């Protein structure tokens, strides 16, 4: 196994162990051990996410596991613990302050890994995908937690990304690489903040409006990407001298 793969395992595992240990101590301070279901969910998330990162490194041998990915790994470890708490909440009461206290740095670090990547010149396709999938899963977990209080419609926030992936499985042309839009990061960040506010229960009359606005913004963002993909699909393709057409591949430059 290459050194970069070992680094991926080491940093992700170390981050997970530190965060899990800190949260276990915090839970004991709250006099509430994390139920077995929560532990299992946290470990399952970390095992699957780390395996996917390693697979990505194996497929992109030219990329290295840089410092930005290390930050994302720490954020992913936080998401793993958040997942465990949310799953535990199905059967046991959990300290909401602890949940929100973990969500806040997970959201804040979303801006840090991108900054680190630009400062260190370590931006990569794998890093962008890793960051995006951690964001998506955090939104899914938070939307599931907020759904009992606000209604099942909230789960649409977390489900949109996975519905988009499922559409790509059925329609290969929807898997084309989309052009970069900073607005996606803004919408994702707003959705995370809105769901964190809803989870806290501090603004019972406003949180539903914030979450509804987040869902509307996400629908607009996904709709814009879908329209771009449809236009790319229907755009006339250059014709070679032989009369045969050729496509754009997966570049997504449009």
């Amino acid at each position: 196994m290459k050194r970069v793969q070992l680094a991926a395992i080491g940093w992700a595992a170390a981050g997970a162990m530190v965060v899990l240990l800190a949260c276990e101590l915090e839970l004991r301070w709250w006099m509430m051990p994390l139920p077995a279901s929560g532990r299992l969910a946290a470990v399952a998330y970390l095992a699957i996410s780390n395996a996917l990162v390693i697979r990505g490194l194996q497929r992109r041998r030219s990329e290295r596991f840089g410092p930005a990915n290390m930050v994302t790994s720490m954020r992913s470890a936080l998401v793993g613990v958040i997942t465990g708490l949310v799953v535990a909440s199905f059967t046991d009461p959990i300290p909401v302050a602890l949940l929100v206290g973990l969500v806040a740095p997970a959201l804040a670090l979303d801006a840090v890994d991108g900054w680190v990547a630009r400062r260190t010149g370590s931006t990569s396709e794998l890093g962008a995908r890793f960051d995006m999938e951690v964001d998506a899963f955090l939104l899914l977990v938070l939307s599931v937690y907020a759904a009992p209080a606000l209604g099942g419609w909230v789960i649409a926030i977390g489900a949109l990304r996975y519905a988009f992936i499922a559409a790509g499985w059925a329609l290969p042309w929807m898997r084309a690489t989309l052009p970069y839009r900073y607005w996606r990061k803004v919408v994702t960040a707003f959705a995370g903040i809105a769901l964190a506010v809803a989870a806290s229960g501090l603004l019972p009359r406003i949180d539903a409006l914030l979450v509804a606005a987040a869902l509307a913004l996400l629908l607009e963002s996904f709709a814009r990407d879908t329209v771009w993909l449809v236009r790319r699909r229907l755009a006339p393709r250059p014709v070679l001298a032989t009369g045969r057409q050729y496509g754009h591949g997966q570049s997504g430059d449009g």
Side-chain angles (χ1 to χ4, degrees), residues 6 58 66 81 111 124 153 155 172 197 224 253:
L6 291 174
Q58 290 173 335
V81 180
S124 67
W153 61 272
I155 297 178
V197 171
R224 188 187 301 185
D253 295 331

Side-chain angles (χ1 to χ4, degrees), residues 8-47:
I9 298 172
W11 277 95
M17 289 176 62
V18 169
V19 174
L20 284 170
L21 177 60
C23 289
E24 180 67 18
L25 293 173
E26 184 71 11
L27 283 166
R28 290 186 182 280
W29 183 82
W30 283 90
M31 309 243 349
M32 183 203 121
L34 189 64
S37 60
R39 291 174 182 269
L40 180 61
V43 170
Y45 166 81
L46 291 169

